[in-house]
Amino acid sequence: NITNKPNRNLIINGCMICSQRGSSFASITNAYCLDRFKFRNSNGISGTFTVSQSTDTPDGFGNSLKVDVGTADAAMAAGEVFNIGTLLEGQDLQRLAKGTSGAKKSVLSFYVKTNKTGLYSVILYDNDNTRMFSTSYTVSNTNWNRYTIDVAADTTGAYGNDNASSLEIYWYLGAGSNRTSGTLTNAWASYVAANVAAGQVNFADSTSNEFYITGIQ
């Protein structure tokens, strides 16, 4: 029941309505695309990608963020990484009371559709205190599905009350062994690169792969 509980959603443009930079971004590399969302592909990745604002959506939504593989990268090198990310300012996160005895839990939910099934990792990264919450969701069909992740309260490390980036959320599409050789934390912990994306599928292994996301809150 959300009656009398306005502005519960901390994510800005999670429905992918705003895209002031354009509607399609070919061969995008480490750049913002749809408003508040950045596509990162770095550390020597040979695959290329196009990000666009799509009208393919689940019921109740008008737009989604779509990723197409332009050039495949079937063998990920150890340091390679590509994901979709958004940054949240600390001043907008104070209601979570992170780093205090009254820290509150939260829920991350979103809709995803892709023809590349398998396990996908998500990381919440506390940029102020170098902490992380890494977890996953499993895509088992090619339909639109809603995924919900319970994020535990964290009594360690407060977010700064300012306009700097405090919480960074990344939806991984692929990563090399530097980020997949460990174990997902499924809890708040100190940042360890190997534990970021364990078990992650390689979305870049075919030019026929498509990934859509919307309804993030």
Side-chain angles (χ1 to χ4, degrees):
N1 184 353
I2 61 172
T3 303
N4 298 323
K5 295 180 181 178
N7 303 318
R8 294 180 70 191
N9 189 2
L10 295 168
I11 306 296
I12 300 173
N13 199 35
C15 294
M16 309 302 173
I17 294 172
C18 298
S19 191
Q20 298 178 85
R21 297 176 182 85
S23 58
S24 184
F25 308 84
S27 299
I28 187 170
T29 302
N30 299 332
Y32 280 93
C33 44
L34 280 64
D35 287 19
R36 304 291 299 203
F37 286 86
K38 186 176 185 178
F39 187 82
R40 179 175 65 150
N41 52 315
S42 57
N43 299 333
I45 189 167
S46 60
T48 62
F49 309 89
T50 294
V51 173
S52 59
Q53 185 184 42
S54 174
T55 55
D56 188 332
T57 62
D59 292 343
F61 296 89
N63 296 102
S64 64
L65 183 155
K66 178 185 180 183
V67 182
D68 281 299
V69 180
T71 304
D73 185 354
M76 300 285 291
E80 292 182 18
V81 57
F82 60 108
N83 56 40
I84 301 161
T86 189
L87 311 182
L88 284 69
E89 298 175 3
Q91 62 192 4
D92 296 328
L93 302 171
Q94 296 304 303
R95 74 186 77 171
L96 297 176
K98 188 176 181 296
T100 74
S101 60
K104 297 175 176 62
K105 65 180 181 180
S106 56
V107 176
L108 174 64
S109 65
F110 49 90
Y111 291 83
V112 159
K113 173 184 174 181
T114 178
N115 61 335
K116 176 64 177 178
T117 59
L119 185 143
Y120 287 78
S121 57
V122 180
I123 177 175
L124 287 77
Y125 176 67
D126 172 359
N127 188 50
D128 291 327
N129 302 286
T130 321
R131 290 173 63 76
M132 62 185 280
F133 184 107
S134 63
T135 188
S136 66
Y137 61 100
T138 299
V139 176
S140 57
N141 59 53
T142 59
N143 304 320
W144 277 106
N145 293 288
R146 183 172 183 258
Y147 300 93
T148 301
I149 294 169
D150 292 327
V151 181
D154 187 14
T155 57
T156 300
Y159 292 133
N161 188 19
D162 52 37
N163 64 358
S165 171
S166 288
L167 176 62
E168 305 177 2
I169 307 175
Y170 297 101
W171 289 262
Y172 270 75
L173 297 177
S177 60
N178 287 356
R179 289 177 174 80
T180 61
S181 59
T183 304
L184 297 173
T185 65
N186 290 302
W188 285 103
S190 297
Y191 178 82
V192 176
N195 296 337
V196 166
Q200 169 70 43
V201 300
N202 179 13
F203 171 78
D205 65 1
S206 171
T207 55
S208 66
N209 291 344
E210 298 177 336
F211 180 92
Y212 302 80
I213 187 169
T214 193
I216 303 171
Q217 64 176 357

